[in-house]
Amino acid sequence: GLLLSVSTVFAQPPGPALKDPESMKTRMEARMKAMEQKLNLTEEQQKLLEANRIKHREQAEKFHESLKATREAMRAELEKPELNMDKINQLHSEEKDLMAKLAGYRLEGILEVRKILTPEQFVEFGKLIGERRHGRGMGMKQGPPDLPEGPPEE
């Protein structure tokens, strides 16, 4: 399933600073603090969101590693002089399955965040995601699926 976490929402577009884990960590912490203030989160909400972010980041990294390995295997197959269509189709199927699982995982994350936040906070959270997304370049979209406008319905 798809689990969207705060880390996905605030992921940075690729760039030289991403190579420096300390710089990335500092920026992430600054964004988290700004979000906490804008959403007026309670201490309990902060703890729950942090736990959700950590859980999501670890699982998302596993998905991305698997996806990268599958894509590398596909590239290797396509570069061979003799194409093995069975292998290519198998790898393509694996890639589609991984992408569907990742999408499901992101959705689970959005639903977890929604459980943690009040309806008003979730609406503001959606706006913050939108602001963050519009600052990205073309093809760099890595955030969650579009969030609904207005308060969530029960």
Side-chain angles (χ1 to χ4, degrees), residues 82-149:
E82 288 287 321
L83 293 180
N84 178 342
M85 290 309 296
D86 289 338
K87 182 68 174 174
I88 290 170
N89 288 329
Q90 173 203 345
L91 290 167
H92 185 232
S93 180
E94 287 175 22
E95 180 182 22
K96 289 190 298 187
D97 290 346
L98 285 167
M99 290 174 68
K101 287 177 183 176
L102 183 59
Y105 187 67
R106 285 185 180 136
L107 178 58
E108 286 175 20
I110 291 172
L111 297 174
E112 283 300 314
V113 169
R114 183 177 161 167
K115 288 177 191 174
I116 295 167
L117 301 178
T118 66
E120 296 80 15
Q121 287 171 325
F122 188 74
V123 170
E124 185 63 25
F125 179 73
K127 290 176 185 175
L128 292 173
I129 291 169
E131 289 171 11
R132 183 91 183 109
R133 265 192 177 173
H134 289 83
R136 293 190 185 159
M138 294 291 287
M140 303 299 260
K141 184 171 142 184
Q142 295 176 340
D146 290 331
L147 295 174
E149 297 292 323

Short mmCIF file of all heavy atoms in Angstrom, two decimals, residues 82-149:
data_model
loop_
_atom_site.label_atom_id
_atom_site.label_comp_id
_atom_site.label_asym_id
_atom_site.label_seq_id
_atom_site.Cartn_x
_atom_site.Cartn_y
_atom_site.Cartn_z
N GLU A 82 20.98 -10.23 -28.00
CA GLU A 82 19.78 -11.06 -28.18
C GLU A 82 18.77 -10.70 -27.11
O GLU A 82 19.06 -10.82 -25.92
CB GLU A 82 20.14 -12.54 -28.06
CG GLU A 82 20.93 -13.10 -29.22
CD GLU A 82 20.07 -13.25 -30.48
OE1 GLU A 82 18.89 -13.64 -30.37
OE2 GLU A 82 20.60 -12.96 -31.57
N LEU A 83 17.59 -10.26 -27.51
CA LEU A 83 16.57 -9.91 -26.54
C LEU A 83 15.87 -11.16 -26.01
O LEU A 83 15.46 -12.02 -26.78
CB LEU A 83 15.52 -8.98 -27.16
CG LEU A 83 15.98 -7.59 -27.55
CD1 LEU A 83 14.82 -6.79 -28.14
CD2 LEU A 83 16.56 -6.86 -26.35
N ASN A 84 15.74 -11.22 -24.69
CA ASN A 84 14.99 -12.29 -24.04
C ASN A 84 13.66 -11.67 -23.61
O ASN A 84 13.55 -11.08 -22.54
CB ASN A 84 15.76 -12.83 -22.84
CG ASN A 84 15.03 -13.91 -22.09
OD1 ASN A 84 13.82 -14.07 -22.23
ND2 ASN A 84 15.77 -14.65 -21.28
N MET A 85 12.65 -11.80 -24.48
CA MET A 85 11.37 -11.14 -24.23
C MET A 85 10.69 -11.65 -22.97
O MET A 85 10.01 -10.88 -22.28
CB MET A 85 10.45 -11.28 -25.45
CG MET A 85 10.92 -10.46 -26.66
SD MET A 85 11.27 -8.71 -26.29
CE MET A 85 9.66 -8.13 -25.82
N ASP A 86 10.87 -12.91 -22.63
CA ASP A 86 10.28 -13.43 -21.39
C ASP A 86 10.86 -12.68 -20.19
O ASP A 86 10.13 -12.27 -19.28
CB ASP A 86 10.53 -14.94 -21.23
CG ASP A 86 9.71 -15.77 -22.21
OD1 ASP A 86 8.67 -15.26 -22.71
OD2 ASP A 86 10.09 -16.92 -22.48
N LYS A 87 12.18 -12.50 -20.17
CA LYS A 87 12.84 -11.80 -19.08
C LYS A 87 12.43 -10.33 -19.05
O LYS A 87 12.15 -9.76 -17.99
CB LYS A 87 14.37 -11.94 -19.21
CG LYS A 87 15.16 -11.30 -18.10
CD LYS A 87 14.97 -12.03 -16.78
CE LYS A 87 15.88 -11.47 -15.71
NZ LYS A 87 15.62 -12.05 -14.41
N ILE A 88 12.37 -9.71 -20.22
CA ILE A 88 11.99 -8.30 -20.31
C ILE A 88 10.56 -8.12 -19.79
O ILE A 88 10.29 -7.21 -19.00
CB ILE A 88 12.14 -7.78 -21.75
CG1 ILE A 88 13.63 -7.68 -22.10
CG2 ILE A 88 11.43 -6.43 -21.95
CD1 ILE A 88 13.92 -7.42 -23.57
N ASN A 89 9.65 -8.98 -20.21
CA ASN A 89 8.26 -8.89 -19.75
C ASN A 89 8.16 -9.14 -18.25
O ASN A 89 7.37 -8.48 -17.56
CB ASN A 89 7.37 -9.86 -20.52
CG ASN A 89 7.15 -9.41 -21.95
OD1 ASN A 89 7.14 -8.21 -22.24
ND2 ASN A 89 7.00 -10.36 -22.85
N GLN A 90 8.95 -10.06 -17.72
CA GLN A 90 8.96 -10.33 -16.28
C GLN A 90 9.43 -9.10 -15.51
O GLN A 90 8.81 -8.71 -14.52
CB GLN A 90 9.86 -11.53 -15.97
CG GLN A 90 10.04 -11.77 -14.48
CD GLN A 90 11.30 -12.54 -14.14
OE1 GLN A 90 11.93 -13.16 -15.01
NE2 GLN A 90 11.70 -12.49 -12.89
N LEU A 91 10.53 -8.49 -15.97
CA LEU A 91 11.05 -7.30 -15.30
C LEU A 91 10.06 -6.13 -15.39
O LEU A 91 9.88 -5.38 -14.42
CB LEU A 91 12.41 -6.91 -15.89
CG LEU A 91 13.56 -7.86 -15.56
CD1 LEU A 91 14.76 -7.56 -16.44
CD2 LEU A 91 13.91 -7.76 -14.09
N HIS A 92 9.43 -6.00 -16.54
CA HIS A 92 8.44 -4.93 -16.71
C HIS A 92 7.27 -5.14 -15.74
O HIS A 92 6.79 -4.18 -15.12
CB HIS A 92 7.96 -4.88 -18.16
CG HIS A 92 7.05 -3.74 -18.44
ND1 HIS A 92 5.84 -3.90 -19.04
CD2 HIS A 92 7.18 -2.41 -18.19
CE1 HIS A 92 5.24 -2.72 -19.14
NE2 HIS A 92 6.03 -1.81 -18.64
N SER A 93 6.83 -6.36 -15.60
CA SER A 93 5.76 -6.68 -14.67
C SER A 93 6.17 -6.38 -13.22
O SER A 93 5.39 -5.82 -12.44
CB SER A 93 5.38 -8.15 -14.82
OG SER A 93 4.34 -8.49 -13.94
N GLU A 94 7.41 -6.73 -12.88
CA GLU A 94 7.93 -6.44 -11.53
C GLU A 94 7.95 -4.93 -11.27
O GLU A 94 7.58 -4.47 -10.19
CB GLU A 94 9.34 -7.00 -11.36
CG GLU A 94 9.40 -8.51 -11.22
CD GLU A 94 10.82 -9.04 -11.17
OE1 GLU A 94 11.76 -8.28 -10.82
OE2 GLU A 94 11.01 -10.23 -11.49
N GLU A 95 8.38 -4.18 -12.27
CA GLU A 95 8.44 -2.72 -12.13
C GLU A 95 7.04 -2.15 -11.90
O GLU A 95 6.83 -1.31 -11.02
CB GLU A 95 9.08 -2.08 -13.36
CG GLU A 95 9.17 -0.57 -13.26
CD GLU A 95 9.75 0.08 -14.50
OE1 GLU A 95 9.73 -0.54 -15.59
OE2 GLU A 95 10.21 1.22 -14.38
N LYS A 96 6.06 -2.60 -12.69
CA LYS A 96 4.69 -2.11 -12.52
C LYS A 96 4.14 -2.48 -11.14
O LYS A 96 3.49 -1.65 -10.51
CB LYS A 96 3.78 -2.68 -13.62
CG LYS A 96 4.05 -2.09 -14.99
CD LYS A 96 2.99 -2.47 -16.00
CE LYS A 96 2.92 -3.95 -16.24
NZ LYS A 96 2.00 -4.34 -17.32
N ASP A 97 4.43 -3.68 -10.68
CA ASP A 97 3.97 -4.10 -9.35
C ASP A 97 4.58 -3.22 -8.26
O ASP A 97 3.89 -2.80 -7.33
CB ASP A 97 4.32 -5.57 -9.08
CG ASP A 97 3.51 -6.55 -9.91
OD1 ASP A 97 2.49 -6.13 -10.51
OD2 ASP A 97 3.89 -7.73 -9.96
N LEU A 98 5.89 -2.96 -8.36
CA LEU A 98 6.55 -2.12 -7.37
C LEU A 98 5.99 -0.70 -7.36
O LEU A 98 5.77 -0.11 -6.31
CB LEU A 98 8.07 -2.07 -7.62
CG LEU A 98 8.84 -3.32 -7.22
CD1 LEU A 98 10.26 -3.26 -7.80
CD2 LEU A 98 8.89 -3.45 -5.71
N MET A 99 5.73 -0.16 -8.56
CA MET A 99 5.19 1.20 -8.64
C MET A 99 3.79 1.25 -8.04
O MET A 99 3.44 2.21 -7.35
CB MET A 99 5.21 1.68 -10.09
CG MET A 99 6.64 1.94 -10.57
SD MET A 99 6.77 2.34 -12.32
CE MET A 99 5.98 3.93 -12.35
N ALA A 100 2.98 0.21 -8.27
CA ALA A 100 1.63 0.18 -7.70
C ALA A 100 1.71 0.07 -6.18
O ALA A 100 0.95 0.73 -5.46
CB ALA A 100 0.85 -1.00 -8.27
N LYS A 101 2.63 -0.74 -5.67
CA LYS A 101 2.79 -0.87 -4.22
C LYS A 101 3.25 0.45 -3.61
O LYS A 101 2.78 0.84 -2.54
CB LYS A 101 3.79 -1.99 -3.89
CG LYS A 101 3.23 -3.37 -4.11
CD LYS A 101 4.28 -4.43 -3.83
CE LYS A 101 3.72 -5.81 -4.15
NZ LYS A 101 4.72 -6.86 -3.98
N LEU A 102 4.17 1.12 -4.28
CA LEU A 102 4.66 2.41 -3.79
C LEU A 102 3.52 3.43 -3.76
O LEU A 102 3.37 4.18 -2.79
CB LEU A 102 5.82 2.91 -4.66
CG LEU A 102 6.48 4.21 -4.24
CD1 LEU A 102 7.04 4.12 -2.82
CD2 LEU A 102 7.59 4.57 -5.21
N ALA A 103 2.69 3.44 -4.78
CA ALA A 103 1.55 4.36 -4.82
C ALA A 103 0.58 4.05 -3.68
O ALA A 103 0.08 4.95 -3.01
CB ALA A 103 0.83 4.27 -6.17
N GLY A 104 0.34 2.79 -3.43
CA GLY A 104 -0.53 2.39 -2.32
C GLY A 104 0.06 2.79 -0.98
O GLY A 104 -0.65 3.24 -0.08
N TYR A 105 1.35 2.65 -0.87
CA TYR A 105 2.05 3.00 0.36
C TYR A 105 1.95 4.50 0.64
O TYR A 105 1.74 4.93 1.77
CB TYR A 105 3.52 2.56 0.24
CG TYR A 105 4.32 2.69 1.49
CD1 TYR A 105 4.06 1.92 2.61
CD2 TYR A 105 5.37 3.60 1.56
CE1 TYR A 105 4.80 2.04 3.75
CE2 TYR A 105 6.13 3.73 2.71
CZ TYR A 105 5.84 2.95 3.81
OH TYR A 105 6.57 3.08 4.94
N ARG A 106 2.06 5.30 -0.40
CA ARG A 106 1.92 6.76 -0.25
C ARG A 106 0.51 7.12 0.22
O ARG A 106 0.34 7.98 1.08
CB ARG A 106 2.24 7.48 -1.55
CG ARG A 106 3.71 7.53 -1.85
CD ARG A 106 3.99 8.37 -3.08
NE ARG A 106 5.42 8.39 -3.32
CZ ARG A 106 5.97 8.24 -4.51
NH1 ARG A 106 5.21 8.08 -5.58
NH2 ARG A 106 7.27 8.28 -4.66
N LEU A 107 -0.49 6.46 -0.34
CA LEU A 107 -1.86 6.73 0.08
C LEU A 107 -2.06 6.36 1.55
O LEU A 107 -2.68 7.12 2.30
CB LEU A 107 -2.86 5.96 -0.79
CG LEU A 107 -4.32 6.15 -0.41
CD1 LEU A 107 -4.73 7.61 -0.46
CD2 LEU A 107 -5.20 5.30 -1.31
N GLU A 108 -1.52 5.24 1.97
CA GLU A 108 -1.60 4.87 3.39
C GLU A 108 -1.00 5.96 4.26
O GLU A 108 -1.52 6.27 5.32
CB GLU A 108 -0.86 3.55 3.65
CG GLU A 108 -1.58 2.33 3.14
CD GLU A 108 -0.75 1.07 3.32
OE1 GLU A 108 0.19 1.06 4.15
OE2 GLU A 108 -1.04 0.10 2.62
N GLY A 109 0.10 6.53 3.80
CA GLY A 109 0.75 7.60 4.55
C GLY A 109 -0.13 8.83 4.67
O GLY A 109 -0.21 9.45 5.73
N ILE A 110 -0.80 9.19 3.58
CA ILE A 110 -1.71 10.33 3.61
C ILE A 110 -2.82 10.06 4.62
O ILE A 110 -3.19 10.93 5.41
CB ILE A 110 -2.32 10.60 2.21
CG1 ILE A 110 -1.25 11.12 1.27
CG2 ILE A 110 -3.48 11.60 2.31
CD1 ILE A 110 -1.71 11.22 -0.17
N LEU A 111 -3.34 8.85 4.60
CA LEU A 111 -4.42 8.49 5.53
C LEU A 111 -3.94 8.52 6.97
O LEU A 111 -4.68 8.93 7.87
CB LEU A 111 -5.00 7.12 5.15
CG LEU A 111 -5.67 7.08 3.77
CD1 LEU A 111 -6.10 5.66 3.44
CD2 LEU A 111 -6.84 8.04 3.69
N GLU A 112 -2.69 8.11 7.20
CA GLU A 112 -2.13 8.18 8.56
C GLU A 112 -1.99 9.63 9.01
O GLU A 112 -2.33 9.96 10.15
CB GLU A 112 -0.76 7.48 8.62
CG GLU A 112 -0.84 5.98 8.64
CD GLU A 112 -1.60 5.44 9.84
OE1 GLU A 112 -1.36 5.91 10.97
OE2 GLU A 112 -2.44 4.55 9.64
N VAL A 113 -1.51 10.49 8.14
CA VAL A 113 -1.37 11.91 8.47
C VAL A 113 -2.75 12.49 8.77
O VAL A 113 -2.92 13.24 9.73
CB VAL A 113 -0.67 12.68 7.33
CG1 VAL A 113 -0.76 14.19 7.54
CG2 VAL A 113 0.80 12.26 7.24
N ARG A 114 -3.73 12.09 7.99
CA ARG A 114 -5.09 12.60 8.20
C ARG A 114 -5.63 12.19 9.57
O ARG A 114 -6.34 12.96 10.21
CB ARG A 114 -6.00 12.08 7.09
CG ARG A 114 -7.40 12.61 7.21
CD ARG A 114 -8.27 12.14 6.09
NE ARG A 114 -9.67 12.30 6.49
CZ ARG A 114 -10.66 12.22 5.67
NH1 ARG A 114 -10.45 11.98 4.40
NH2 ARG A 114 -11.89 12.35 6.11
N LYS A 115 -5.29 10.99 10.04
CA LYS A 115 -5.73 10.54 11.36
C LYS A 115 -5.08 11.37 12.47
O LYS A 115 -5.68 11.58 13.52
CB LYS A 115 -5.36 9.06 11.58
CG LYS A 115 -6.19 8.09 10.79
CD LYS A 115 -5.68 6.68 11.05
CE LYS A 115 -6.28 5.68 10.10
NZ LYS A 115 -5.69 4.35 10.27
N ILE A 116 -3.85 11.81 12.24
CA ILE A 116 -3.09 12.55 13.26
C ILE A 116 -3.55 14.00 13.35
O ILE A 116 -3.63 14.56 14.44
CB ILE A 116 -1.58 12.46 12.95
CG1 ILE A 116 -1.09 11.01 13.08
CG2 ILE A 116 -0.78 13.38 13.87
CD1 ILE A 116 0.31 10.77 12.51
N LEU A 117 -3.85 14.61 12.22
CA LEU A 117 -4.20 16.02 12.17
C LEU A 117 -5.70 16.24 12.33
O LEU A 117 -6.50 15.36 12.01
CB LEU A 117 -3.75 16.63 10.83
CG LEU A 117 -2.26 16.55 10.50
CD1 LEU A 117 -2.01 17.14 9.13
CD2 LEU A 117 -1.42 17.24 11.56
N THR A 118 -6.06 17.44 12.79
CA THR A 118 -7.48 17.82 12.81
C THR A 118 -7.89 18.10 11.36
O THR A 118 -7.02 18.32 10.50
CB THR A 118 -7.69 19.10 13.64
OG1 THR A 118 -7.04 20.19 12.97
CG2 THR A 118 -7.20 18.96 15.07
N PRO A 119 -9.19 18.13 11.07
CA PRO A 119 -9.62 18.45 9.69
C PRO A 119 -9.05 19.79 9.20
O PRO A 119 -8.62 19.89 8.05
CB PRO A 119 -11.15 18.49 9.78
CG PRO A 119 -11.46 17.55 10.91
CD PRO A 119 -10.34 17.75 11.91
N GLU A 120 -9.01 20.79 10.08
CA GLU A 120 -8.48 22.11 9.69
C GLU A 120 -6.98 22.02 9.40
O GLU A 120 -6.48 22.61 8.44
CB GLU A 120 -8.74 23.14 10.80
CG GLU A 120 -10.20 23.42 11.04
CD GLU A 120 -10.92 22.36 11.90
OE1 GLU A 120 -10.23 21.53 12.56
OE2 GLU A 120 -12.16 22.33 11.89
N GLN A 121 -6.26 21.30 10.25
CA GLN A 121 -4.81 21.14 10.04
C GLN A 121 -4.55 20.39 8.75
O GLN A 121 -3.61 20.71 8.02
CB GLN A 121 -4.17 20.40 11.21
CG GLN A 121 -4.06 21.21 12.48
CD GLN A 121 -3.61 20.36 13.65
OE1 GLN A 121 -3.97 19.18 13.76
NE2 GLN A 121 -2.82 20.94 14.54
N PHE A 122 -5.37 19.38 8.45
CA PHE A 122 -5.17 18.60 7.24
C PHE A 122 -5.36 19.45 5.99
O PHE A 122 -4.61 19.32 5.02
CB PHE A 122 -6.11 17.38 7.21
CG PHE A 122 -5.81 16.43 6.10
CD1 PHE A 122 -4.69 15.60 6.16
CD2 PHE A 122 -6.62 16.36 4.99
CE1 PHE A 122 -4.40 14.72 5.12
CE2 PHE A 122 -6.34 15.48 3.95
CZ PHE A 122 -5.23 14.66 4.02
N VAL A 123 -6.35 20.36 6.02
CA VAL A 123 -6.57 21.27 4.90
C VAL A 123 -5.33 22.15 4.72
O VAL A 123 -4.83 22.32 3.61
CB VAL A 123 -7.84 22.13 5.10
CG1 VAL A 123 -7.92 23.25 4.07
CG2 VAL A 123 -9.07 21.24 5.04
N GLU A 124 -4.82 22.70 5.82
CA GLU A 124 -3.62 23.54 5.75
C GLU A 124 -2.42 22.72 5.28
O GLU A 124 -1.60 23.20 4.49
CB GLU A 124 -3.34 24.18 7.11
CG GLU A 124 -2.19 25.16 7.11
CD GLU A 124 -2.40 26.37 6.21
OE1 GLU A 124 -3.56 26.75 5.95
OE2 GLU A 124 -1.39 26.93 5.76
N PHE A 125 -2.32 21.50 5.74
CA PHE A 125 -1.25 20.58 5.33
C PHE A 125 -1.31 20.40 3.80
O PHE A 125 -0.28 20.47 3.12
CB PHE A 125 -1.44 19.24 6.04
CG PHE A 125 -0.43 18.19 5.71
CD1 PHE A 125 0.86 18.27 6.18
CD2 PHE A 125 -0.80 17.09 4.95
CE1 PHE A 125 1.79 17.28 5.90
CE2 PHE A 125 0.13 16.11 4.66
CZ PHE A 125 1.42 16.20 5.13
N GLY A 126 -2.51 20.22 3.26
CA GLY A 126 -2.68 20.09 1.82
C GLY A 126 -2.21 21.32 1.08
O GLY A 126 -1.60 21.23 0.01
N LYS A 127 -2.48 22.50 1.65
CA LYS A 127 -2.02 23.75 1.03
C LYS A 127 -0.50 23.83 1.04
O LYS A 127 0.12 24.25 0.07
CB LYS A 127 -2.62 24.95 1.76
CG LYS A 127 -4.10 25.11 1.55
CD LYS A 127 -4.62 26.28 2.38
CE LYS A 127 -6.14 26.39 2.27
NZ LYS A 127 -6.66 27.43 3.16
N LEU A 128 0.11 23.42 2.15
CA LEU A 128 1.58 23.43 2.25
C LEU A 128 2.19 22.49 1.22
O LEU A 128 3.20 22.80 0.60
CB LEU A 128 2.03 23.04 3.65
CG LEU A 128 1.70 24.02 4.77
CD1 LEU A 128 2.04 23.42 6.13
CD2 LEU A 128 2.43 25.33 4.56
N ILE A 129 1.55 21.35 1.02
CA ILE A 129 2.03 20.40 0.01
C ILE A 129 1.95 21.04 -1.36
O ILE A 129 2.87 20.94 -2.16
CB ILE A 129 1.20 19.10 0.05
CG1 ILE A 129 1.48 18.33 1.33
CG2 ILE A 129 1.52 18.23 -1.17
CD1 ILE A 129 0.52 17.18 1.55
N GLY A 130 0.83 21.71 -1.63
CA GLY A 130 0.65 22.36 -2.93
C GLY A 130 1.70 23.43 -3.18
O GLY A 130 2.26 23.50 -4.27
N GLU A 131 2.01 24.22 -2.16
CA GLU A 131 3.05 25.25 -2.29
C GLU A 131 4.39 24.60 -2.59
O GLU A 131 5.15 25.05 -3.43
CB GLU A 131 3.17 26.05 -1.00
CG GLU A 131 2.01 26.97 -0.74
CD GLU A 131 2.06 27.59 0.66
OE1 GLU A 131 3.10 27.47 1.34
OE2 GLU A 131 1.04 28.17 1.06
N ARG A 132 4.66 23.51 -1.90
CA ARG A 132 5.93 22.81 -2.04
C ARG A 132 6.06 22.24 -3.44
O ARG A 132 7.11 22.30 -4.06
CB ARG A 132 5.93 21.69 -0.98
CG ARG A 132 7.15 20.93 -0.94
CD ARG A 132 8.11 21.57 0.06
NE ARG A 132 9.29 20.78 -0.05
CZ ARG A 132 10.41 21.22 -0.58
NH1 ARG A 132 10.54 22.44 -0.92
NH2 ARG A 132 11.43 20.42 -0.73
N ARG A 133 4.96 21.66 -3.94
CA ARG A 133 4.97 21.05 -5.25
C ARG A 133 5.16 22.05 -6.36
O ARG A 133 5.82 21.77 -7.34
CB ARG A 133 3.62 20.40 -5.49
CG ARG A 133 3.59 19.01 -5.16
CD ARG A 133 2.32 18.66 -5.76
NE ARG A 133 2.10 17.28 -5.62
CZ ARG A 133 0.98 16.74 -5.94
NH1 ARG A 133 0.03 17.47 -6.40
NH2 ARG A 133 0.82 15.47 -5.83
N HIS A 134 4.51 23.20 -6.24
CA HIS A 134 4.59 24.18 -7.32
C HIS A 134 5.98 24.77 -7.44
O HIS A 134 6.30 25.36 -8.45
CB HIS A 134 3.53 25.27 -7.13
CG HIS A 134 2.15 24.76 -7.38
ND1 HIS A 134 1.42 24.08 -6.44
CD2 HIS A 134 1.39 24.78 -8.50
CE1 HIS A 134 0.26 23.72 -6.96
NE2 HIS A 134 0.21 24.13 -8.20
N GLY A 135 6.82 24.59 -6.46
CA GLY A 135 8.20 25.06 -6.52
C GLY A 135 9.11 24.09 -7.22
O GLY A 135 10.26 24.39 -7.47
N ARG A 136 8.61 22.93 -7.58
CA ARG A 136 9.46 21.91 -8.24
C ARG A 136 9.47 22.09 -9.74
O ARG A 136 8.51 22.57 -10.32
CB ARG A 136 8.91 20.51 -7.93
CG ARG A 136 9.05 20.17 -6.49
CD ARG A 136 8.71 18.73 -6.32
NE ARG A 136 8.74 18.48 -4.88
CZ ARG A 136 8.14 17.50 -4.31
NH1 ARG A 136 7.49 16.63 -5.01
NH2 ARG A 136 8.21 17.33 -3.01
N GLY A 137 10.54 21.59 -10.33
CA GLY A 137 10.66 21.65 -11.78
C GLY A 137 9.80 20.58 -12.44
O GLY A 137 9.25 19.71 -11.79
N MET A 138 9.67 20.67 -13.74
CA MET A 138 8.88 19.70 -14.49
C MET A 138 9.46 18.30 -14.29
O MET A 138 10.66 18.11 -14.32
CB MET A 138 8.92 20.04 -15.98
CG MET A 138 8.24 21.34 -16.31
SD MET A 138 6.46 21.25 -16.08
CE MET A 138 6.04 20.25 -17.50
N GLY A 139 8.60 17.34 -14.07
CA GLY A 139 9.04 15.96 -13.96
C GLY A 139 9.66 15.62 -12.62
O GLY A 139 10.16 14.53 -12.44
N MET A 140 9.64 16.55 -11.68
CA MET A 140 10.30 16.31 -10.40
C MET A 140 9.29 15.93 -9.32
O MET A 140 9.61 15.83 -8.17
CB MET A 140 11.04 17.56 -9.94
CG MET A 140 12.05 18.03 -10.96
SD MET A 140 13.28 16.79 -11.26
CE MET A 140 14.55 17.44 -10.23
N LYS A 141 8.03 15.78 -9.70
CA LYS A 141 6.97 15.52 -8.74
C LYS A 141 7.21 14.21 -8.01
O LYS A 141 7.25 13.16 -8.62
CB LYS A 141 5.64 15.49 -9.47
CG LYS A 141 4.45 15.33 -8.59
CD LYS A 141 3.22 15.53 -9.45
CE LYS A 141 2.15 14.59 -9.02
NZ LYS A 141 0.98 14.68 -9.84
N GLN A 142 7.39 14.29 -6.69
CA GLN A 142 7.58 13.10 -5.89
C GLN A 142 6.66 13.10 -4.68
O GLN A 142 6.71 12.21 -3.88
CB GLN A 142 9.02 13.02 -5.38
CG GLN A 142 10.02 12.85 -6.48
CD GLN A 142 11.44 12.86 -5.94
OE1 GLN A 142 11.70 13.33 -4.85
NE2 GLN A 142 12.34 12.33 -6.71
N GLY A 143 5.86 14.12 -4.57
CA GLY A 143 4.99 14.24 -3.41
C GLY A 143 3.80 13.30 -3.50
O GLY A 143 3.72 12.47 -4.39
N PRO A 144 2.87 13.47 -2.59
CA PRO A 144 1.71 12.60 -2.55
C PRO A 144 0.73 12.93 -3.66
O PRO A 144 0.84 13.97 -4.29
CB PRO A 144 1.09 12.95 -1.20
CG PRO A 144 1.45 14.37 -1.00
CD PRO A 144 2.84 14.50 -1.58
N PRO A 145 -0.23 12.05 -3.87
CA PRO A 145 -1.28 12.38 -4.83
C PRO A 145 -1.98 13.65 -4.40
O PRO A 145 -1.92 14.02 -3.23
CB PRO A 145 -2.23 11.19 -4.76
CG PRO A 145 -1.58 10.15 -3.94
CD PRO A 145 -0.43 10.79 -3.22
N ASP A 146 -2.66 14.31 -5.33
CA ASP A 146 -3.36 15.54 -4.98
C ASP A 146 -4.32 15.30 -3.83
O ASP A 146 -5.02 14.30 -3.80
CB ASP A 146 -4.14 16.07 -6.21
CG ASP A 146 -3.21 16.58 -7.27
OD1 ASP A 146 -2.12 17.06 -6.92
OD2 ASP A 146 -3.58 16.49 -8.45
N LEU A 147 -4.34 16.24 -2.92
CA LEU A 147 -5.23 16.15 -1.77
C LEU A 147 -6.52 16.86 -2.11
O LEU A 147 -6.54 17.79 -2.91
CB LEU A 147 -4.57 16.80 -0.55
CG LEU A 147 -3.33 16.07 -0.06
CD1 LEU A 147 -2.67 16.88 1.05
CD2 LEU A 147 -3.67 14.70 0.44
N PRO A 148 -7.62 16.44 -1.49
CA PRO A 148 -8.90 17.07 -1.77
C PRO A 148 -8.92 18.53 -1.30
O PRO A 148 -8.23 18.87 -0.35
CB PRO A 148 -9.90 16.23 -0.97
CG PRO A 148 -9.09 15.57 0.08
CD PRO A 148 -7.70 15.42 -0.48
N GLU A 149 -9.70 19.34 -1.98
CA GLU A 149 -9.89 20.72 -1.55
C GLU A 149 -10.89 20.71 -0.41
O GLU A 149 -11.83 19.93 -0.41
CB GLU A 149 -10.45 21.55 -2.71
CG GLU A 149 -9.52 21.64 -3.91
CD GLU A 149 -8.27 22.44 -3.63
OE1 GLU A 149 -8.34 23.44 -2.91
OE2 GLU A 149 -7.22 22.05 -4.14
#
